Amino acid sequence: MLMQSARPLGELENASEFIPRHIGVDEADEKLMLSVIGESSRRALIDSIVPRSIARSHAMKLPAAVTEAAALAELKAIASRNQVFKSFIGQGYHGTHTPGVILRNVLENPAWYTAYTPYQAEISQGRMEALVNFQTMVCDLTGLPIANASMLDEATAAAEAMTLAKRSVKAKSNVFVVAGDCHPQTIEVVQTRAKPLGIEVVLANSAQEWDAALGGDYFAVLAQYPSTSGRIDDLRADVEKVHAKQAAFIVAADLLAMTLLIPPGEFGADIAVGTTQRFGMPMGAGGPHAAYMACRDEFKRSLPGRLVGVSIDTHGNPAYRLALQTREQHIRREKATSNICTAQVLPAVIASMYAVYHGPQGLKRIAQRVASYTAILAKGLERLGYTPRPGGAFDTLSLHTGEETEQIAARARSEHANLRVYYGEYLCITLDETTTRDDIKLVWSFFAKPGQALPDFAEFEKGIEPLIPTELRRTTDFLTHPVFNTHHSETGMLRYIRALSDKDLALDRSMIPLGSCTMKLNATSEMIPITWREFAFVHPFAPRDQLQGYAELDSQLRAWLCEATGYAGISLQPNAGSQGEYAGLLAIKAFHESKGNGHRNVCLIPSSAHGTNPASAQMVGMRVVVTACDTNGNVDLADLRAKCEEHSANLACVMITYPSTHGVFEMQVKELCALVHKHGGRVYVDGANMNALVGVAAPGEFGGDVSHLNLHKTFCIPHGGGGPGVGPVCVVEDLVPFLPGHKSGGVPDHGVGAVSAAPLGNAAVLPISWMYCRMMGAEGLKQATEIAILSANYISTRLKDHYPTLYASENGHVAHECILDLRPLKETSGVTAEDVAKRLIDYGFHAPTLSFPVAGTLMVEPTESETLDELDRFIGAMIAIREEIRRVERGEWPQDDNPLKHAPHTAAALLKGEWNHAYPRDVGAAVLDERRHAKYWPPVGRVDNVYGDRNLFCACVPMSAYE
């Protein structure tokens, strides 16, 4: 027996063990793939694709990669610097209990968090049912007939409601009236959104100012219900005043309170917005949480965000699909009603499951307990000499404490509790689901004078009456659908969650080869920290010295992302890529204004750009001018030069995507940047395709002035079925002063203002990207980029004889994605790109990006995380489908009766007694894989989109529909 020679200790302590776990291709696979492509080495491949003029000349200065265990230990030490106090701050953020069955089986379950946006309806029925539950829950609790499938946060939902009202009402005024007793962060975000649109925000800070404002001209008003200080106003007379002005009444409503209060829809409100955070999502220093928006029926076709509707499939069965606005910003571009292209699906699913789990009686019990504790707290405070401000209360009391304010607040902090200081002389105390009797006694102790006996809780609890005014108490039922009245046992809930996830196709089952969307591995070690109490249970507006762990995490991650992008400064506040775009354009606009060039408002955008680009430009008040692309998909420099000269005096910026939306590294990008700079404009480089750049080229070094990143793409935050996302905005040195700021969080206002509700945005998911960077290091991140490019070129080469790649460089190579041209097939076989997309479902794959950026194509992006076996399985499926198309072309199957036209095939359809198709059942089933890959059976046949839009229905399906 041969003895192995001793290995150096350094090898045994290999700190980069995570890298080969993240990257699916090993050294032998790489050699094989390079031989197929026809390149001698990975270095040679990258040198032939990435223009040498922009290639990085130096490695990123990042800490060396460490093991998963070491990274978790390091992050735990950072997390421990956060102080988890008992929070009585409120302000839209509350302690909550995430039911264990939901925590383990949704929030921590890759079947839910690795799913993609439900654009392919047939493989998204589970998460869309959960979203329809969400919409139904919101409609029932707000009393309004239609709701969307979540918004980014309450503050941005309020800003979107403002613009929805502006385009929907008859009033012509540009004034928006906001009650001063709305949440401060909501007011800030509304003010940020209003300024570039020319909307005047009138803040009414007293009852007198409110009455005066309602007597003037305006197009809409916004009120908080209950108010941020806890008061419950009777808004019914105000609604009548507003409607008399042909204006809209918007209510920011607490959904838990709506189980006990008259809902906005019942007293005539036009739009309701708010957060569902307290329905099972931890505070997480501000996010991610699912906001909501509901509105009257007349506004539904202008409702921003996603809307899940009910249609039928090809067999006549009920089926869910995205309705009306599906990616409407990509279609309408600068005429889009919003730039939102994401939502908060995973938090929305959790909120809906929370409602399913507790049901109407359970939610009402939780609310009644909170309201009763609030009443008891008030009684005790009165006994101690502090009378809460009048106006009723649900969960929040406001007390005038004058000179004692800071002393009492400090006493609370000394006992590891936070009260909210309000206008300097008031203290607000907010209770929630997690409040206990001991917490009430603790709060009393903060107000008791030395030697003063604390009230006796038992003295108040018998017959306690909530402080909700009798005339404002809810009398109508809610959540009456069976789904909210069935799954209340642990077993029932577990099986319901499992049944829904089984209907879906997520990254835990197979490759999701979506071009432009980068569905890469979300490693378990990256996900573990998000539910640590040190990260999850922190209030976003706690004193900053309690958030030192988050501050360190934010600082380190920003520094690493600066290294990756070549920029000087970054804000992590935007909680979606679209919001990052918006923040970046605001920074450019503010820069020009600071130089006395506020007239610079022209934004040049290539015709190939993401639809969010022109939509974002419109939102900041810029004028979009489209520039041409050449036949190879590159920006037409001659046309760009002409447009720059034509608009030189008013040029604000150009927005490009790099590598291009067509999946190619454009060779003249430095010249493009120099041209725009020559005319006084700034260059915005969309970071959607950053997975082709990290470690290879840096936009901040080759001429970009601003970029947003999608941490839910390049830096491993899961897509979560369509959210959460994080969209940091990155800028060069002279734009750093114009990054978004948040006064409510103690961050100085740099002139742009807040773009999301929380100072750190979706802070609770930032540990995911931190872990990824820490475990990969500079070399690992660069290798990931190069393997992503290698994998895309391998697919393009293997499929070129079956589906030509539409755009490529002169040597035939692509970037990290390739566009397969299926347009000729329609002429020869009647088969469309959509038919191929649906047929891929039968083979167990999510379709690539369909008909974007070119109609009739599929855009494929494999990512570095996929193994060679999985790449070959996808290639095998695509070749098999092409052979099926050839059988149609040869006349063996009719153009209207072949496996592609009837895809996807459900098990029920294949098992029917009669089979009247030209192809056999086993062909329809597409059980191709000789490796016996687990067969995925779609739950429904092809969904009828036209029927769904003509018969719009966006709530839980009545049980009779299944009979």
Side-chain angles (χ1 to χ4, degrees):
M1 181 175 172
L2 294 174
M3 293 289 291
Q4 286 189 330
S5 59
R7 296 169 63 187
L9 183 58
E11 289 184 17
L12 299 176
E13 295 176 330
N14 181 13
S16 60
E17 66 175 19
F18 175 75
I19 297 173
R21 300 189 195 282
H22 175 82
I23 295 174
V25 172
D26 63 23
E27 191 174 340
D29 296 334
E30 185 179 322
K31 288 180 179 178
L32 187 153
M33 294 164 72
L34 286 166
S35 69
V36 170
I37 296 168
E39 290 286 355
S40 59
S41 66
R42 181 171 18 124
R43 178 77 273 135
L45 175 68
I46 300 303
D47 287 347
S48 71
I49 293 173
V50 181
R52 293 301 87 202
S53 61
I54 68 167
R56 292 190 75 127
S57 60
H58 58 279
M60 294 180 290
K61 296 175 182 177
L62 299 177
V66 297
T67 64
E68 295 174 65
L72 284 168
E74 189 175 324
L75 187 57
K76 190 71 171 178
I78 293 173
S80 69
R81 297 189 61 199
N82 289 329
Q83 300 178 62
V84 183
F85 281 26
K86 180 69 181 181
S87 173
F88 299 99
I89 296 173
Q91 202 172 321
Y93 299 92
H94 306 268
T96 185
H97 293 304
T98 309
V101 66
I102 298 173
L103 177 73
R104 176 63 57 87
N105 296 290
V106 179
L107 182 57
E108 298 177 342
N109 183 353
W112 287 97
Y113 66 68
T114 69
Y116 182 61
T117 305
Y119 293 134
Q120 293 290 334
E122 296 82 4
I123 55 176
S124 309
Q125 291 296 297
R127 81 196 79 128
M128 284 203 283
E129 180 171 329
L131 291 176
V132 165
N133 292 347
F134 177 88
Q135 293 173 180
T136 303
M137 172 190 82
V138 170
C139 289
D140 280 11
L141 292 174
T142 62
L144 285 160
I146 194 135
N148 65 17
S150 78
M151 302 291 282
L152 298 176
D153 58 36
E154 179 171 339
T156 52
E160 292 284 350
M162 173 181 69
T163 56
L164 169 61
K166 186 73 174 71
R167 60 181 175 266
S168 301
V169 300
K170 293 181 179 179
K172 300 303 180 185
S173 171
N174 277 328
V175 172
F176 184 54
V177 177
V178 178
D181 214 3
C182 290
H183 294 319
Q185 69 272 18
T186 298
I187 295 172
E188 284 191 57
V189 172
V190 165
Q191 289 171 329
T192 299
R193 181 71 65 87
K195 183 181 177 182
L197 297 176
I199 294 173
E200 179 188 353
V201 176
V202 172
L203 200 58
N205 284 316
S206 66
Q208 293 77 15
E209 290 181 6
W210 175 254
D211 289 340
L214 293 194
D217 289 326
Y218 46 84
F219 68 87
V221 303
L222 170 66
Q224 195 91 36
Y225 179 68
S227 74
T228 192
S229 62
R231 194 181 64 253
I232 303 174
D233 292 323
D234 188 342
L235 299 171
R236 289 174 289 193
D238 294 337
V239 170
E240 291 183 9
K241 290 180 187 177
V242 170
H243 285 168
K245 301 274 188 177
Q246 295 187 309
F249 202 104
I250 304 167
V251 176
D254 182 323
L255 284 192
L256 187 64
M258 294 309 98
T259 65
L260 304 181
L261 296 177
I262 295 176
E266 289 186 20
F267 58 72
D270 302 287
I271 305 171
V273 296
T275 179
T276 61
Q277 179 267 316
R278 69 191 310 172
F279 280 30
M281 274 299 289
M283 288 183 288
H289 307 132
Y292 73 84
M293 180 184 287
C295 67
R296 52 195 269 200
D297 192 67
E298 299 95 298
F299 292 176
K300 66 187 177 188
R301 293 187 182 270
S302 293
L303 186 67
R306 297 183 186 136
L307 187 69
V308 179
V310 181
S311 185
I312 57 173
D313 73 356
T314 190
H315 310 296
N317 299 314
Y320 301 106
R321 56 179 284 276
L322 290 182
L324 298 182
Q325 306 91 339
T326 305
R327 305 196 83 176
E328 67 107 31
Q329 81 285 353
H330 283 292
I331 299 165
R332 302 192 68 212
R333 301 173 73 79
E334 68 271 19
K335 294 183 176 66
T337 55
S338 171
N339 74 337
I340 291 176
C341 66
T342 188
Q344 296 281 26
V345 172
L346 188 66
V349 168
I350 290 166
S352 74
M353 292 297 183
Y354 182 92
V356 169
Y357 182 71
H358 287 292
Q361 294 307 313
L363 291 182
K364 194 168 185 177
R365 179 189 59 78
I366 293 168
Q368 287 172 331
R369 181 176 177 274
V370 170
S372 297
Y373 272 20
T374 303
I376 290 172
L377 176 64
K379 291 280 189 183
L381 289 170
E382 289 174 2
R383 182 74 57 85
L384 294 169
Y386 296 89
T387 302
R389 294 169 73 191
F394 164 61
D395 64 357
T396 300
L397 300 176
S398 178
L399 303 100
H400 185 260
T401 45
E403 295 179 354
E404 297 179 88
T405 301
E406 185 48 46
Q407 178 186 357
I408 296 171
R411 195 179 303 152
R413 290 194 296 272
S414 71
E415 296 293 333
H416 290 86
N418 290 317
L419 306 180
R420 179 183 172 199
V421 177
Y422 188 60
Y423 283 104
E425 294 189 353
Y426 293 87
L427 284 172
C428 292
I429 309 162
T430 299
L431 307 185
D432 56 45
E433 177 188 11
T434 68
T435 302
T436 64
R437 293 178 175 223
D438 287 341
D439 291 331
I440 302 295
K441 296 172 187 175
L442 180 66
V443 173
W444 284 334
S445 74
F446 306 151
F447 291 85
K449 302 292 190 296
Q452 187 177 18
L454 294 183
D456 182 2
F457 191 101
E459 180 184 346
F460 303 124
E461 65 179 298
K462 291 183 180 178
I464 187 69
E465 186 71 16
L467 302 178
I468 298 171
T470 304
E471 67 275 13
L472 294 179
R473 296 185 183 184
R474 183 169 192 148
T475 59
T476 53
D477 291 334
F478 55 89
L479 303 186
T480 57
H481 190 276
V483 74
F484 299 107
N485 295 277
T486 304
H487 311 290
H488 300 325
S489 72
E490 174 93 8
T491 304
M493 192 68 193
L494 176 66
R495 289 173 181 163
Y496 180 63
I497 292 171
R498 175 60 187 266
L500 293 193
S501 65
D502 277 351
K503 294 179 180 181
D504 287 2
L505 194 61
L507 204 61
D508 64 327
R509 288 185 193 255
S510 72
M511 169 185 177
I512 301 182
L514 283 155
S516 184
C517 292
T518 314
M519 295 293 294
K520 62 200 287 176
L521 171 69
N522 316 122
T524 305
S525 289
E526 295 160 5
M527 299 300 296
I528 285 173
I530 68 169
T531 50
W532 288 348
R533 67 185 304 274
E534 298 93 338
F535 285 135
F537 295 170
V538 176
H539 195 289
F541 297 116
R544 296 185 70 187
D545 61 358
Q546 296 173 24
L547 278 74
Q548 290 303 302
Y550 266 119
E552 184 175 353
L553 173 73
D554 177 80
S555 175
Q556 289 186 3
L557 186 54
R558 283 189 293 111
W560 297 347
L561 294 177
C562 281
E563 274 296 310
T565 59
Y567 285 111
I570 293 180
S571 169
L572 299 176
Q573 189 183 97
N575 57 18
S578 56
Q579 213 170 61
E581 278 184 19
Y582 167 68
L585 292 174
L586 282 178
I588 291 173
K589 183 181 179 71
F591 167 81
H592 285 310
E593 290 172 348
S594 75
K595 301 294 183 183
N597 294 322
H599 60 277
R600 287 189 173 271
N601 68 344
V602 171
C603 179
L604 303 180
I605 302 181
S607 59
S608 64
H610 288 85
T612 56
N613 291 173
S616 296
Q618 179 270 331
M619 283 174 57
V620 302
M622 290 185 180
R623 181 162 68 92
V624 174
V625 173
V626 178
T627 68
C629 290
D630 62 24
T631 55
N632 294 318
N634 301 316
V635 174
D636 186 326
L637 274 186
D639 185 61
L640 181 70
R641 185 173 292 107
K643 296 282 173 50
C644 282
E645 291 173 358
E646 179 185 353
H647 300 285
S648 183
N650 297 309
L651 181 62
C653 62
V654 66
M655 297 184 79
I656 63 169
T657 300
Y658 200 80
S660 75
T661 310
H662 292 147
V664 178
F665 279 91
E666 299 186 35
M667 304 303 289
Q668 296 178 299
V669 67
K670 289 193 76 170
E671 290 88 336
L672 182 155
C673 295
L675 173 63
V676 174
H677 289 153
K678 176 184 173 183
H679 289 273
R682 308 309 294 255
V683 177
Y684 186 103
V685 181
D686 189 314
N689 292 338
M690 196 68 196
N691 211 47
L693 291 178
V694 177
V696 173
E701 294 177 358
F702 63 66
D705 297 300
V706 181
S707 291
H708 83 269
L709 304 177
N710 299 93
L711 297 193
H712 50 288
K713 294 183 182 181
T714 311
F715 293 92
C716 292
I717 291 176
H719 281 68
V726 181
V729 57
C730 322
V731 297
V732 292
E733 188 70 43
D734 66 342
L735 293 178
V736 170
F738 306 100
L739 286 171
H742 210 295
K743 288 178 287 189
S744 299
V747 179
D749 183 354
H750 298 302
V752 166
V755 296
S756 65
L760 293 177
N762 282 342
V765 292
L766 297 178
I768 300 168
S769 297
W770 187 98
M771 285 288 293
Y772 175 60
C773 293
R774 193 68 189 91
M775 295 187 295
M776 292 291 280
E779 282 304 308
L781 292 174
K782 181 182 179 184
Q783 185 181 342
T785 299
E786 294 179 345
I787 295 299
I789 294 172
L790 170 67
S791 296
N793 280 275
Y794 177 71
I795 286 177
S796 177
T797 303
R798 287 280 317 272
L799 290 178
K800 67 181 181 181
D801 293 334
H802 308 279
Y803 310 91
T805 294
L806 184 57
Y807 298 110
S809 58
E810 291 183 4
N811 57 14
H813 293 331
V814 297
H816 65 311
E817 58 193 4
C818 59
I819 298 176
L820 304 180
D821 191 0
L822 278 64
R823 292 174 298 178
L825 299 178
K826 188 172 183 179
E827 184 69 27
T828 61
S829 65
V831 170
T832 66
E834 183 179 16
D835 295 329
V836 175
K838 301 308 182 187
R839 184 59 172 154
L840 272 168
I841 296 172
D842 286 329
Y843 285 95
F845 286 101
H846 192 296
T849 301
L850 173 64
S851 289
F852 178 81
V854 179
T857 66
L858 294 176
M859 184 159 62
V860 180
E861 181 181 350
T863 87
E864 72 278 3
S865 305
E866 297 302 337
T867 64
L868 180 57
D869 279 350
E870 187 70 353
L871 296 176
D872 284 340
R873 193 173 74 87
F874 172 74
I875 291 166
M878 289 295 291
I879 292 173
I881 291 170
R882 185 65 183 92
E883 290 302 321
E884 292 172 351
I885 296 170
R886 289 190 178 102
R887 295 186 69 174
V888 178
E889 290 170 332
R890 292 194 297 265
E892 297 176 29
W893 291 330
Q895 288 196 3
D896 62 350
D897 186 20
N898 58 70
L900 288 100
K901 287 297 179 184
H902 295 296
H905 296 77
T906 65
L910 290 167
L911 292 171
K912 281 192 308 189
E914 291 185 43
W915 184 258
N916 298 316
H917 296 298
Y919 56 96
R921 296 177 202 253
D922 62 331
V923 170
V927 184
L928 167 79
D929 197 342
E930 61 277 6
R931 290 179 296 250
R932 301 177 185 271
H933 187 274
K935 170 68 179 172
Y936 169 77
W937 292 104
V940 296
R942 196 175 305 196
V943 177
D944 188 332
N945 293 322
V946 175
Y947 178 94
D949 275 347
R950 286 178 179 169
N951 303 275
L952 187 62
F953 184 76
C954 301
C956 291
V957 181
M959 297 307 292
S960 59
Y962 295 98
E963 293 174 358

